[in-house]
Amino acid sequence: MKDRLGHDVESLYPQLNAAGYSVTSNKDKKYNCVAWAAERDQERWWEPLSEPGCYWPKQVPFDHSFENYVKVFEALGYSPCDNPSLEAGFEKIALYNSCGWFMHVSHQLEDGRWTSKLGPQEDIKHTTIGALESNGILPAYGMVTRIMKRKRQIWEQPNRNPTLLSRLLNFLRAPLKRLSLLRSGNVMSK
Amino acid sequence: MKPSQILQAAAQAGVAGVLAVGNTASHACPYYAQLPNEASRSLPMIFITEPAVLAAAEYQTVASEKTRASDALTENFNSLVNQWRLETKHFSVIARRYENPAYKAILDMQAPAIPLILQELRRDPDRWFAALEKLTGENPAKDAINFYEAVDRWIAWGTAHEYIA
């Protein structure tokens, strides 16, 4: 795993370097920030789109409005909050908005830092939510316009270095998982 | 182009002579070699009318024109892909990536873009599924469980349909 983002990606976030960050995963195009913040889901790309690997909760309207992204997190028990400060017993998320579009969501860790999956790029840990904000000139994430919180859940830590045995088990489980996803309608297809 | 036009153009360009494949009757003389010699203003023109040479020249010209067109298409495609990636590769919303002008320009390239997209998909997998579906009318990855499986299915489809080797 690299220590730093590629210069081409890092330069998209003018405040990231100064604020401080570390890379916490390799690139993975299967999942996005919403999947990561919502459920540490590393298999699906959470977006209302009829494309392979995309997922969208059934109870949320199937369109890209910012408010529908808010509803995704409301469905997971989050409610509005007025500040990003660390609160004991709570976890927070910050939603970024550019020109009315949902752009990104960061999730607060127990130590007060934040974790973000940068689109199809790497996951990073960053010190502030402002680290990923931009003034709108660059094609980045815009500004945080919504903070939400819920009682902190116990997260299952994703396995970054699977053993040969766990890879084999995952391989054997794949057909069952596919069947399960198809039955639940979670695989989007036209 | 008529031989007289070729000679006129050659004179203006300051070349020494023209070797033409074709004959004056058919005016099939676009294949010539320029011999640079600014001092010379006499422009002898030698015509080659051997049918086999004419056929070979015709074939070579058509082939090289096709190659030039293909090179230009590939260059344009690569430039658009670079622009698209530069501006959108960190986006968390795929739909926003599809709004990018460079992506739309790739779609405007129509069918000739299909093999280029498939090659690019194999070289550096990205969200090309909607573009491929739009351009081919097919969707071999419709029940793929994740991104990488969809990539594999499209590449297999492209190979089976001889868009890529």
Side-chain angles (χ1 to χ4, degrees):
Chain A
M1 190 189 309
K2 291 180 187 171
D3 293 338
R4 313 292 293 174
L5 295 168
H7 176 70
D8 52 340
V9 175
E10 191 183 84
S11 63
L12 293 164
Y13 309 100
Q15 301 174 75
L16 182 59
N17 226 343
Y21 77 94
S22 57
V23 174
T24 52
S25 80
N26 291 319
K27 286 183 188 178
D28 193 327
K29 295 171 182 177
K30 292 199 299 289
Y31 66 101
N32 63 353
C33 60
V34 185
W36 181 245
E39 289 186 356
R40 294 291 187 270
D41 181 351
Q42 293 177 276
E43 294 298 320
R44 297 177 295 184
W45 185 283
W46 288 39
E47 181 173 346
L49 207 60
S50 299
E51 277 211 14
C54 288
Y55 164 79
W56 194 245
K58 282 181 178 172
Q59 64 269 37
V60 180
F62 200 76
D63 79 60
H64 282 88
S65 77
F66 186 85
E67 287 309 315
N68 283 339
Y69 280 88
V70 172
K71 283 177 185 163
V72 168
F73 289 98
E74 284 176 346
L76 294 168
Y78 284 93
S79 56
C81 168
D82 59 7
N83 72 80
S85 304
L86 182 64
E87 284 183 51
F90 286 90
E91 59 187 322
K92 296 185 177 180
I93 54 166
L95 283 77
Y96 297 68
N97 181 322
S98 177
C99 304
W101 278 85
F102 166 83
M103 291 301 292
H104 180 66
V105 57
S106 295
H107 177 250
Q108 192 177 41
L109 298 165
E110 281 182 278
D111 64 2
R113 287 186 293 175
W114 298 79
T115 179
S116 283
K117 174 73 162 59
L118 304 176
Q121 307 291 325
E122 295 92 337
D123 306 344
I124 62 166
K125 201 181 281 186
H126 46 107
T127 51
T128 65
I129 50 175
L132 295 181
E133 286 184 323
S134 69
N135 56 12
I137 295 173
L138 292 164
Y141 293 159
M143 306 299 285
V144 171
T145 59
R146 195 75 59 95
I147 309 279
M148 302 176 81
K149 72 174 184 181
R150 73 175 178 186
K151 283 193 174 176
R152 187 165 287 282
Q153 313 281 305
I154 297 170
W155 290 93
E156 184 185 341
Q157 289 302 311
N159 185 0
R160 297 291 192 199
N161 298 299
T163 62
L164 191 61
L165 179 63
S166 65
R167 285 184 186 192
L168 180 64
L169 286 173
N170 282 338
F171 175 77
L172 294 172
R173 284 180 190 137
L176 293 173
K177 191 169 184 180
R178 179 196 305 279
L179 192 61
S180 160
L181 286 172
L182 285 171
R183 280 186 178 159
S184 67
N186 284 347
V187 173
M188 298 298 173
S189 60
K190 285 184 178 174
Chain B
M1 184 181 275
K2 294 179 180 178
S4 59
Q5 291 173 313
I6 292 174
L7 287 169
Q8 190 179 357
Q12 286 169 359
V15 300
V18 174
L19 175 64
V21 178
N23 58 60
T24 52
S26 68
H27 295 163
C29 312
Y31 322 113
Y32 58 88
Q34 294 185 342
L35 308 172
N37 181 350
E38 291 182 6
S40 173
R41 284 289 178 270
S42 66
L43 298 170
M45 195 171 201
I46 303 165
F47 292 99
I48 300 171
T49 55
E50 176 64 35
V53 177
L54 289 174
E58 182 68 27
Y59 175 82
Q60 188 170 351
T61 300
V62 171
S64 67
E65 281 171 1
K66 279 186 179 175
T67 303
R68 272 198 296 275
S70 172
D71 288 349
L73 186 77
T74 303
E75 193 176 328
N76 186 33
F77 175 81
N78 289 337
S79 168
L80 291 167
V81 169
N82 288 339
Q83 184 187 338
W84 181 55
R85 289 228 168 95
L86 183 71
E87 294 173 359
T88 70
K89 66 182 164 194
H90 58 300
F91 279 11
S92 303
V93 181
I94 298 165
R96 282 221 72 185
R97 300 192 75 196
Y98 295 165
E99 304 253 317
N100 185 273
Y103 179 84
K104 289 181 177 174
I106 291 169
L107 285 181
D108 287 344
M109 292 167 77
Q110 301 287 331
I114 296 171
L116 299 174
I117 292 175
L118 287 165
Q119 284 164 18
E120 185 62 22
L121 185 69
R122 181 161 58 188
R123 190 188 69 82
D124 186 3
D126 208 333
R127 283 281 169 181
W128 291 111
F129 313 132
L132 285 168
E133 185 179 352
K134 186 178 175 70
L135 294 174
T136 66
E138 303 271 350
N139 188 3
K142 63 184 174 188
D143 58 350
I145 201 165
N146 65 38
F147 173 83
Y148 295 104
E149 187 177 322
V151 170
D152 290 344
R153 290 189 183 202
W154 268 110
I155 289 172
W157 181 91
T159 307
H161 288 76
E162 298 184 346
Y163 281 107
I164 48 176

